[in-house]
């Protein structure tokens, strides 16, 4: 934020020039890639496409394939968004990034794995009892994730309240490793499979989109709407926002600040728990390190959307999921880069850098409460 | 220094030999205060004399190292802020400290956070709208976008929503345009006339004492003067050091 | 604070980009081996006279002679992937080695020990670290391992430098031996041998099956950046093109990927009739699961290799209908000529000791590799008073000359670059996730060079 102010006022420093160059280069590369993609969609044999593909014609994407990419990006992004909410809320209230939040998501997915397999053995997973069973499983997974998040706050973060915020941040990395290894100790290091979903969930519902992906997107949207209502419309939600902005005055209003912080962790944990369960239904496999990469991606999503802004977290998640899904094939492949799918993580972090370069507060970011307090 | 007031009623809020420390620094030293229902009192003092600490200690945001904070005859040293707020002690903080990202209405509603009487709350809201018609026009605006004078109104409204019996005011005229200072004191007068006790910490000592019944002067954490407002206004020493010789 | 946070985020982002772009470093640090070399040389001078006196053993003493004092054990080592995702592959190898040591018995009256099983972590780093531990002990004659080709590329140079030998039961990367045209692979080291097949044959087998048997002319391949998967995927595409087929795509996934839609769409854009993904779990699970849902791949044949030919994968419904290439494990009545133990006898002991059947198919390769090493030690050693002397060069001399050795896996012949395997490849079609053994026996194609 300070750099933005300085850039407008004072003369440009070399750093500013470098950043400007970086912005121009990144945007330039994206434009060239996109133009090349459009060109090869229109004519796979155009001169540029032949040049980048060693004299071969490029491959054109069909509409079906394009749709597949979008839907997969959306469902993946919806999960990033659900996890990102927890990062964003805790940052808003306590001003630090809880890196162990990805593990809450993983524990949600693991709980789903254990329960779904137990129900499958009892014959309740497939067939008519699927919906009530899955709802019950979601409920338990959410409760356990919520409990874990609350426990984390009580044991690891509350004793550090008031210390410089780098300290809880580093603690959260430790908590993350602890939970990962505890899960390895309890359940082993190998990948664990969910039982197969009923056929109707795997079938195409509308527009040739797999049912399970529609479910993921809808459940994520409902959860997000519920959270929005909770934060914006209920008394507890208002208290939460008041605590995020000014803890001292919030307590002057009679708000119990500690309890509100616990509520924040609980709600973030619940979102991650739901996300974990959706992950299980979509990919049907979970491993002790499942939380790591989605956690980092969700953190990225929270930053892209503007940390502390809930709508931004969700939008950032969807933007990131979409970019990961689409960018390798629409921006990189037309430039003749091989093995583009391996570069998807690079794509998402370049996106993060780009957003921070252009709008340091994120897409929907605003001045943060910490600026007022300091 | 003992209480010179001869009033036999129970004080609403009272300090008995209060000492506070911030780390190793001794802030308040054997302070005795008493605020009675419905009166208006003023606390004067220079920078770093311990005025803000006095307010925070009254509210339980600072815990005294010795002495007693007494509310309605009950020692409340170990009771949280919310306990005191529920029993009618409220503050309009220095610089107003509104929740800037929340709307004006939400700020007012948070003032009534501990109350559950919905109908009464709605009533009080209406009362505040009549008191401050400008606030009503800005209800759904984020409070951070309001002017200083409007913010002062919201801050007072927010405090009133807690249904206080005593209102602690920390430098109410600080940061206000001179033209607004007078209006502001009239508002305080108006609130006082509704029977709410006012405990005002103010740099503008002349103005404060002209409204108040009594006053204390705090110097480096010690109460050095404790008298009626008229006497204080007439005190030549005080005139010299705080009242600018006016 | 906000500024600090931004800087932190950007730093983090850059780090992750760097991590995502960079491939596994395979630099091998030579530190530590010099000391060992010196020590071996020292032995060499002291023992040379004895070696000259005895004509009953192989070797010219050029790599040093190891003295095993009376009452001590002959030291060999097991270096396999015994933890993490690939423990299913390494554990049966380790147990195969242990059983072979037990069945073989004494050499010239000396017991043999394989020590505490070492872990190659299925990575170059793991292989290197473990190899450094091994070469630091100058009593060690040879190593059975590694499980993963990636670990071998880092471990083999160290083992070779120290004058030891290394026989792998499951490395299959062509780079570790040769291109089968007489040229050493880029990671070949003297003293490296393997009883596993060379993936050039596995790739060729899959290509012939797809092109000749299935009659498909377009195919694509996916690897995960690991030397084994990349080597096998390119062996397949090269053979397929030689046969006259068209390769429509060759790409890679990251091992941690879960959403395969983008990579599968990239493949689908070329409309291949067959897709070969010789990778591991869990990435392989997601490909099999998601491929039918990607437009353009609904009818594509899915093919995988021995890395996915494991029970955990065959149990998935999504893997039904797939074809898998792998070593021919129909061992029948084959017996290891050194111990006289047959495949069935081995399996009975294995289940008795471990409570389950081996999860991966290279246990027989590990057993034969160990028996070969012990035969080599036998041939290169002699008694000197109460001590046993072992000539390191003699061990290599014996292994270089192995021809027509009968093992559990069939007839073993070592070529000039350490490829000793029977090179028999079979392709099975997986029909029923409820009957894994039935599927494993459902051989639809056989290949022998």
């Amino acid at each position: 934020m300070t750099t933005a102010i300085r850039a407008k006022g004072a003369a440009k420093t070399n750093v500013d020039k470098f950043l400007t160059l970086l912005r121009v280069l990144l945007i330039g590369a994206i434009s060239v890639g996109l133009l090349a993609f459009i060109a090869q969609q229109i004519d796979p044999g155009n001169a540029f496409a032949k040049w980048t593909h060693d004299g071969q014609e490029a491959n054109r994407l069909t509409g079906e394939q394009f749709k597949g990419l979008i839907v997969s990006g959306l469902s993946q992004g919806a999960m990033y968004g659900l996890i990102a909410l927890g990062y964003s809320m805790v940052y808003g209230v306590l001003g630090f990034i809880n890196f162990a939040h990805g593990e809450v998501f993983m524990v949600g997915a693991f709980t789903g794995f254990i329960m779904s397999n137990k129900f499958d053995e009892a014959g309740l997973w497939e067939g008519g009892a699927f919906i009530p069973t899955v709802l019950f499983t979601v409920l338990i997974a959410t409760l356990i994730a919520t409990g874990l998040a609350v426990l984390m706050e009580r044991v690891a973060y509350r004793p550090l309240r008031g210390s410089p915020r780098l300290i809880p941040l580093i603690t959260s990395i430790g908590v993350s490793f602890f939970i990962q290894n505890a899960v390895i100790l309890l359940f082993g290091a190998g990948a664990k499979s969910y039982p197969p979903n009923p056929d109707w969930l795997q079938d195409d519902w509308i527009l040739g989109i797999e049912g399970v992906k529609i479910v993921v997107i809808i459940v994520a949207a409902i959860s997000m709407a519920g959270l929005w209502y909770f934060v914006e419309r209920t008394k507890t939600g208002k208290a939460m926002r008041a605590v995020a902005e000014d803890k001292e005055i919030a307590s002057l209003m009679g708000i119990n600040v500690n309890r509100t912080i616990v509520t924040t962790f609980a709600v973030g944990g619940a979102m991650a728990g739901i996300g974990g369960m959706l992950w299980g239904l979509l990919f049907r496999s979970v491993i002790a390190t499942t939380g790591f990469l989605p956690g980092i991606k969700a953190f990225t999503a929270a930053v892209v959307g503007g940390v502390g802004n809930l709508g931004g977290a969700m939008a950032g998640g969807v933007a990131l999921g979409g970019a990961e899904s689409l960018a390798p094939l629409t921006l990189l492949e037309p430039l003749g880069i091989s093995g583009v799918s391996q570069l998807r993580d690079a794509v998402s972090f370049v996106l993060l850098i780009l957003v921070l370069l252009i709008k340091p507060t994120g897409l929907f970011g605003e001045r943060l409460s910490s600026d007022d307090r300091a | 220094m003992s209480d010179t007031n001869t009033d036999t009623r129970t004080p609403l809020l009272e300090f008995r030999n209060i000492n506070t420390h911030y780390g190793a620094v001794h802030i308040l030293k054997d302070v005795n205060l008493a605020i009675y229902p419905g009166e208006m009192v003023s606390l004067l003092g220079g920078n770093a004399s311990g005025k803000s600490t006095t307010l925070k200690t009254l509210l339980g945001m600072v815990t005294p190292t010795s002495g007693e904070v007494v509310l309605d005859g009950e020692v409340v040293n170990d009771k949280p802020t919310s306990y005191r707020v529920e029993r009618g002690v409220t503050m309009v903080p220095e610089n107003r400290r509104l929740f800037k990202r929340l709307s004006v209405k939400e700020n007012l509603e948070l003032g009534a956070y501990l109350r559950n009487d919905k109908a009464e709350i709605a009533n009080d809201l209406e009362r505040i709208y009549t008191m401050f018609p400008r606030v009503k026009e800005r209800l759904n605006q984020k409070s951070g976008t309001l002017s200083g004078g409007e913010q002062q109104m919201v801050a007072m409204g927010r405090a009133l929503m807690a249904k206080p019996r005593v209102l602690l005011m920390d430098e109410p005229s600080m940061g206000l345009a001179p033209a607004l200072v007078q209006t502001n004191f009239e508002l305080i007068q108006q609130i006082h006339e509704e029977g709410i006790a006012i405990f005002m910490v103010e740099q503008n000592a002349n103005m404060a004492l002209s409204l108040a019944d009594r006053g204390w002067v705090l110097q480096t954490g010690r109460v050095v003067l404790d008298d009626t407002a008229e006497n204080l206004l007439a005190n030549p020493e005080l005139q010299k050091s705080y009242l600018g010789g006016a | 604070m906000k500024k600090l946070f931004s800087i932190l985020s950007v730093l983090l982002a850059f780090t992750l980009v760097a991590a995502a772009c960079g491939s596994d470093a395979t630099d091998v640090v030579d530190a530590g081996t010099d000391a060992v070399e010196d020590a071996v040389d020292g032995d060499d001078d002291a023992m040379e006279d004895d070696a000259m006196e005895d004509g009953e053993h192989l070797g010219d003493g050029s790599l040093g002679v190891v003295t095993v004092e009376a009452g001590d054990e002959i030291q060999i080592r097991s270096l396999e992937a015994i933890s993490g995702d690939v423990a299913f592959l390494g554990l049966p190898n380790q147990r195969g080695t242990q059983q072979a040591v037990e069945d073989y018995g004494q050499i010239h009256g000396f017991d043999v020990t394989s020590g505490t099983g070492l872990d190659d972590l299925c990575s170059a780093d793991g292989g290197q670290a473990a190899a450094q531990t091994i070469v630091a002990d100058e009593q060690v004659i040879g190593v059975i391992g590694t499980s993963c080709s990636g670990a071998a590329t880092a471990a083999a140079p160290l083992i070779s430098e120290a004058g030891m030998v290394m026989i792998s039961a499951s490395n299959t990367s062509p780079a570790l031996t040769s291109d089968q045209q007489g040229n050493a692979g880029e990671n070949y080291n003297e003293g490296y041998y393997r009883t596993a097949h060379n993936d050039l044959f596995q790739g060729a087998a899959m290509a012939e099956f797809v092109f000749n048997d299935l009659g498909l002319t377009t195919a694509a391949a996916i690897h995960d950046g690991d030397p084994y998967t990349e080597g096998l995927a390119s062996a397949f595409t090269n053979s397929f093109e030689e046969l006259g087929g068209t390769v429509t795509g060759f790409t890679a996934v990251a091992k941690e990927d879960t959403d395969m839609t983008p990579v599968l769409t990239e493949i689908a854009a070329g409309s291949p009739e067959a897709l070969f993904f010789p990778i591991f779990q869990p990435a392989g699970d997601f490909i099999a699961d998601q491929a039918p849902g990607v437009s353009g791949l609904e009818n594509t044949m899915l093919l995988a290799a021995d890395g996915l030919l494991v029970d955990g994968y065959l149990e998935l419904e999504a893997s039904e209908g797939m074809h898998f290439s792998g070593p021919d494990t129909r061992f029948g009545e084959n017996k290891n000529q050194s111990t006289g133990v047959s495949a069935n006898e081995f399996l009975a002991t294995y289940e008795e000791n471990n409570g389950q059947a081996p999860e991966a198919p290279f246990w027989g390769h590990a057993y034969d590799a160990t028996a070969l090493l012990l035969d080599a030690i036998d041939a290169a050693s002699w008694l000197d008073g109460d001590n046993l002397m072992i000539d390191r060069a003699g061990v290599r001399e014996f292994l270089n000359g192995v021809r027509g050795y009968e093992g559990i896996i069939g007839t073993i012949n070592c070529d000039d670059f350490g490829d000793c395997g029977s090179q028999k490849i079979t392709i099975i079609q997986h029909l029923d996730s409820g009957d894994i053994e039935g599927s494993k026996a459902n051989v639809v194609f056989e290949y022998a060079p």
Side-chain angles (χ1 to χ4, degrees), chain C residues 299-314:
Chain C
N299 301 314
T300 301
M301 298 284 297
L302 299 182
L303 319 161
D306 40 8
L308 286 173
L309 189 52
V310 295
D311 293 1
Y313 193 70
L314 299 175

Side-chain angles (χ1 to χ4, degrees), chain B residues 2-7 9-15 32-44 166 192 197-201 205 207-217 223 225-233 238:
Chain B
S2 67
D3 193 0
T4 53
N5 198 292
T6 51
D7 204 323
R9 294 173 296 164
T10 325
L12 202 160
L13 202 52
E14 201 182 353
F15 263 12
N32 286 287
L33 297 171
I35 305 159
Y36 292 89
E39 69 173 346
M40 187 184 297
V41 288
S42 190
L43 182 68
L44 308 175
V166 55
H192 180 222
I198 307 275
F199 179 85
M200 196 187 328
V201 169
M207 189 71 90
L209 288 175
S210 67
L211 293 173
D213 305 316
R214 291 184 300 129
W216 293 276
V217 176
V223 177
L225 281 173
D226 171 1
D227 214 331
T228 62
E230 293 104 72
N231 287 349
L232 285 175
L233 272 171
L238 191 67

Side-chain angles (χ1 to χ4, degrees), chain A residues 8-28:
Chain A
K8 272 175 211 154
K12 289 198 167 187
T13 64
N14 282 336
V15 174
D16 291 325
K17 283 181 199 157
F18 170 73
L19 291 179
T20 310
L21 183 72
L22 207 58
R23 286 181 197 119
V24 170
L25 281 180
L26 278 173
I27 294 175

Side-chain angles (χ1 to χ4, degrees), chain B residues 178-222:
Chain B
L180 287 171
V181 173
Q182 185 60 39
T183 337
N184 192 36
F185 278 112
E186 281 164 18
L187 272 173
I188 295 171
Q189 187 67 37
Q190 195 185 334
I191 292 166
H192 180 222
E193 278 161 12
E194 289 184 21
I196 296 171
I198 307 275
F199 179 85
M200 196 187 328
V201 169
E202 185 53 74
Q203 295 270 356
N204 193 337
N206 266 328
M207 189 71 90
L209 288 175
S210 67
L211 293 173
D213 305 316
R214 291 184 300 129
W216 293 276
V217 176
L218 206 56
Q219 208 168 51
T220 58
R222 239 176 246 289

